Amino acid sequence: MNFETIYKTYWQKVFRLCMGYANDTDVAKDLAQETFIKVWKQLPKFRNESSIGTWIFRIASNTCLRQIQKDNKMPKSELPVEIKDEILDTNIEKDIQFLYHCISELQEVERIIISLELEDMNQKEIAEIVGLSEGNVRVKIHRIKQKLTLKFKNYGN
């Protein structure tokens, strides 16, 4: 598979995974782009030990986790309220925006797992990416869905 085909096939999925982390369209685009730069550089070294998708999602997850670590090390200044409102005003539907917000509040591993689940990745591949057993991933997915369901029930009120 050449890089252009990989990019066209996986760009949207990787972007959505990054949105689960960042809950910010611009940051998610930057993380996805950084992921594909790494994929392009490492593609000749890909050994087909897993599917190309699993490999790409692993790179994307690691890229997002590294960004979270960097963000936690650097103090953030608060943006003025007016700017925050403009940033959040995107074309994403309110429910989807709320879903991304809820996902961004989860722990890092939970964000990876649910974002990959939302991409219809099977639990075996998710387990490979996050380094957990398939059974543990299944339990975590169930618990994450319970958390998100509870947040959505409270969202309507």
Side-chain angles (χ1 to χ4, degrees):
M1 199 180 256
N2 67 11
F3 180 76
E4 187 175 338
T5 304
I6 290 169
Y7 183 83
K8 287 178 181 176
T9 304
Y10 291 99
W11 168 258
Q12 284 294 324
K13 293 177 181 186
V14 168
F15 171 74
R16 287 190 298 263
L17 174 73
C18 295
M19 268 299 287
Y21 277 96
N23 193 28
D24 180 310
T25 305
D26 293 330
V27 173
K29 285 179 183 176
D30 289 345
L31 290 168
Q33 187 170 8
E34 193 174 327
T35 296
F36 281 101
I37 290 169
K38 291 175 184 176
V39 167
W40 181 70
K41 287 180 178 178
Q42 298 298 320
L43 192 57
K45 298 177 184 176
F46 178 63
R47 299 185 303 250
N48 288 315
E49 292 175 358
S50 62
S51 76
I52 190 88
T54 301
W55 181 69
I56 291 169
F57 281 119
R58 183 69 177 178
I59 292 171
S61 298
N62 287 336
T63 300
C64 291
L65 287 173
R66 279 192 203 93
Q67 186 61 45
I68 288 169
Q69 289 171 342
K70 286 179 193 175
D71 289 348
N72 288 339
K73 286 181 184 178
M74 299 180 77
K76 297 177 189 159
S77 61
E78 280 294 311
L79 292 174
V81 176
E82 303 83 40
I83 295 175
K84 283 184 182 178
D85 289 341
E86 289 175 24
I87 290 172
L88 293 175
D89 187 26
T90 63
N91 294 332
I92 301 173
E93 295 176 31
K94 286 188 180 236
D95 288 347
I96 294 172
Q97 212 170 19
F98 183 71
L99 175 63
Y100 281 128
H101 172 74
C102 293
I103 291 172
S104 73
E105 292 178 340
L106 297 171
Q107 295 174 352
E108 287 98 9
V109 173
E110 291 178 334
R111 283 187 242 169
I112 295 171
I113 292 171
I114 198 62
S115 296
L116 294 173
E117 173 74 8
L118 289 170
E119 290 301 324
D120 291 327
M121 184 166 281
N122 69 49
Q123 293 177 356
K124 183 179 179 184
E125 287 180 307
I126 294 172
E128 286 178 37
I129 291 170
V130 296
L132 297 172
S133 71
E134 200 173 335
N136 197 344
V137 167
R138 191 171 13 267
V139 169
K140 285 190 177 290
I141 288 171
H142 178 72
R143 289 181 182 160
I144 294 165
K145 285 180 178 179
Q146 285 178 325
K147 285 180 187 179
L148 294 175
T149 300
L150 183 61
K151 287 182 184 245
F152 262 89
K153 283 181 182 175
N154 294 333
Y155 174 63
N157 296 333

